[in-house]
Amino acid sequence: MTFNAGPWRDAERLARSDAPMVDPFGRTVSYLRVSVTDRCDFRCTYCMAENMTFLPKKDLLTLEELDRLCSAFIAKGVRKLRLTGGEPLVRKNIMFLVRNLSRHLQSGALEELTLTTNGSQLSRFASELAECGVRRINVSLDTLDPDKFRTITRWGEFDKVMEGIRAAQDAGIRVKLNAVALKDFNEHEIPELLRYAHANGMDLTLIETMPMGETGEDRTDQYLPLSTVRERLEQTFTLADIPLSTGGPARYVEVKETGGRLGFITPMTHNFCESCNRVRLTCTGTLYMCLGQDDAADLRTALRASDDDAYLSAAIDEAIARKPKGHDFIIDRAHRRPAVARHMSVTGG
Ligand code: SAM
Ligand code: SF4
């Protein structure tokens, strides 16, 4: 990780810039994903090893510091903010942060405050999330079979997640389901997941497994290209491409038979980096400019160096100037090692 002290140490040169963040490839950064904790109450086999070592709690930014960092990004043009993890809803007092950040929704500075969750704690938090202005959330669900759910999450309880999804919908929050497509695990269940999602008013997005962090599993055994999934689905369903642009990596189709939407996130078979509008902040204040690269910027030092956000703003500008063109993910027999050593739970996907 690098931190260039030059631009922010020289206070005289700091004119606080709230100009839009544009990277060297002309992409405007308007989306911040924040991993508020690296901890989780599940141990999904494609995401974590069973015996994970987590960060010592003392290394975490406080919720006040996370709020200040997020607010600095919002001042610099972030319009969409997603809390993720680990499991964001297991971070102690997380609703304090959500409630504080919701002031940016009220002011109009932020268009969307949302989260990605495994759903285990949703029944507790759904109404409060809705009160804070959270309108849509992503819930990860890879199977509808409770036994298989336990196998893939190692520790998860299927019924609690179902309860959580219902609680979110009852609170008026739109739910989108995310499922990682896994060879020999859920590959034949995808039509059922699709029908379930669409029958219950949810979009479904399928994700290709990415080589991030050691999990104790062989990724070549898990990896299922979504091009194969799509071909198989087309034997049963009529999939019509729709130009829905979320500014994100998913490509969407409408499923004529169900009337619902299906997204494909294909980092492996189709590189989507050319339209990347996002950066990722970890719970220690490290900014990753790309999910699939190791280069990162230490914003915690700038945050703690001064109460003046000008330092932070300059450190953010310096980081955005280093945003790389794209990732180099590859999974095959010759590449058994993860492309990046950190787990997905560090940056939250
Ligand atoms: N715990 C929350 C959840 O599961 O939704 C948020 C964090 S989780 C890291 C975010 C998303 O990343 C989930 O949809 C999960 O399925 C996905 N994910 C985790 N590891 C992955 C991997 N190696 N490849 C592809 N997706 C992964
Ligand atoms: Fe936890 Fe989400 Fe990773 Fe599963 S995918 S282990 S729920 S962080």
Side-chain angles (χ1 to χ4, degrees):
M1 182 183 346
T2 56
F3 178 65
N4 180 352
W8 60 272
R9 236 187 229 144
D10 180 2
E12 302 243 311
R13 287 167 50 207
L14 289 176
R16 170 143 176 222
S17 158
D18 288 346
M21 295 174 285
V22 181
D23 79 2
F25 303 94
R27 299 169 298 190
T28 300
V29 174
S30 56
Y31 181 9
L32 178 68
R33 298 174 71 107
V34 187
S35 175
V36 295
T37 174
D38 63 331
R39 289 168 194 253
C40 186
D41 51 347
F42 291 4
R43 292 287 181 280
C44 301
T45 59
Y46 50 80
C47 178
M48 293 191 182
E50 187 152 20
N51 299 312
M52 290 285 286
T53 308
F54 294 110
L55 290 163
K57 292 212 170 119
K58 65 171 177 42
D59 288 0
L60 265 57
L61 295 184
T62 64
L63 294 174
E64 287 82 356
E65 286 176 322
L66 276 173
D67 177 61
R68 195 178 144 209
L69 257 177
C70 291
S71 301
F73 274 96
I74 294 166
K76 294 175 73 64
V78 159
R79 304 285 291 151
K80 177 169 171 180
L81 199 148
R82 178 176 298 275
L83 302 181
T84 171
E87 174 46 40
L89 296 179
V90 302
R91 170 97 195 232
K92 198 169 166 203
N93 212 9
I94 186 64
M95 290 313 298
F96 168 84
L97 179 64
V98 177
R99 201 163 276 284
N100 269 346
L101 289 174
S102 73
R103 73 186 183 281
H104 297 297
L105 289 173
Q106 281 154 18
S107 75
L110 193 62
E111 258 166 36
E112 185 171 38
L113 176 60
T114 184
L115 69 160
T116 300
T117 171
N118 64 24
S120 68
Q121 311 296 316
L122 262 182
S123 50
R124 261 168 76 202
F125 292 119
S127 345
E128 206 178 341
L129 287 168
E131 259 174 53
C132 292
V134 173
R135 299 278 165 260
R136 300 191 305 160
I137 56 172
N138 290 354
V139 178
S140 304
L141 184 70
D142 303 320
T143 175
L144 292 170
D145 176 326
D147 292 332
K148 284 172 77 177
F149 185 81
R150 173 55 70 124
T151 306
I152 198 74
T153 62
R154 292 197 184 101
W155 296 1
E157 269 181 57
F158 180 76
D159 290 346
K160 262 180 105 178
V161 173
M162 287 291 129
E163 229 177 83
I165 291 174
R166 279 191 294 273
Q169 291 187 315
D170 290 349
I173 298 176
R174 280 199 63 185
V175 176
K176 178 167 80 66
L177 294 184
N178 281 345
V180 178
L182 296 162
K183 190 157 75 177
D184 298 331
F185 177 75
N186 60 4
E187 61 176 296
H188 300 296
E189 210 194 317
I190 291 172
E192 198 187 335
L193 265 170
L194 179 75
R195 287 198 183 91
Y196 160 76
H198 291 180
N200 288 282
M202 298 179 274
D203 290 341
L204 172 69
T205 297
L206 301 173
I207 307 172
E208 281 174 342
T209 183
M210 295 171 230
M212 298 186 64
E214 288 292 353
T215 56
E217 303 277 334
D218 187 338
R219 300 219 185 244
T220 47
D221 292 342
Q222 294 183 316
Y223 173 55
L224 176 64
L226 287 183
S227 45
T228 307
V229 174
R230 184 172 175 153
E231 269 167 33
R232 287 188 196 150
L233 284 173
E234 280 174 332
Q235 291 166 13
T236 312
F237 298 99
T238 319
L239 309 183
D241 286 311
I242 42 175
L244 179 74
S245 169
T246 56
R251 284 150 188 267
Y252 284 90
V253 296
E254 189 180 285
V255 182
K256 293 286 179 207
E257 289 75 7
T258 60
R261 283 191 304 219
L262 173 65
F264 296 92
I265 299 186
T266 54
M268 309 305 298
T269 50
H270 178 271
N271 188 310
F272 44 59
C273 303
E274 70 278 2
S275 59
C276 182
N277 63 350
R278 60 201 58 199
V279 287
R280 294 167 166 87
L281 184 67
T282 73
C283 56
T284 56
T286 300
L287 188 75
Y288 284 95
M289 287 72 82
C290 175
L291 180 64
Q293 301 285 355
D294 282 323
D295 187 31
D298 164 23
L299 297 184
R300 179 170 61 183
T301 305
L303 178 86
R304 291 183 176 167
S306 166
D307 290 338
D308 184 348
D309 278 351
Y311 291 104
L312 193 50
S313 183
I316 293 172
D317 286 340
E318 193 264 332
I320 300 296
R322 302 206 313 263
K323 186 167 160 59
K325 194 166 184 196
H327 67 70
D328 309 309
F329 287 143
I330 184 161
I331 295 179
D332 64 24
R333 297 276 164 206
H335 296 82
R336 283 172 182 272
R337 288 169 60 78
V340 290
R342 67 181 186 278
H343 291 87
M344 189 69 106
S345 49
V346 173
T347 45

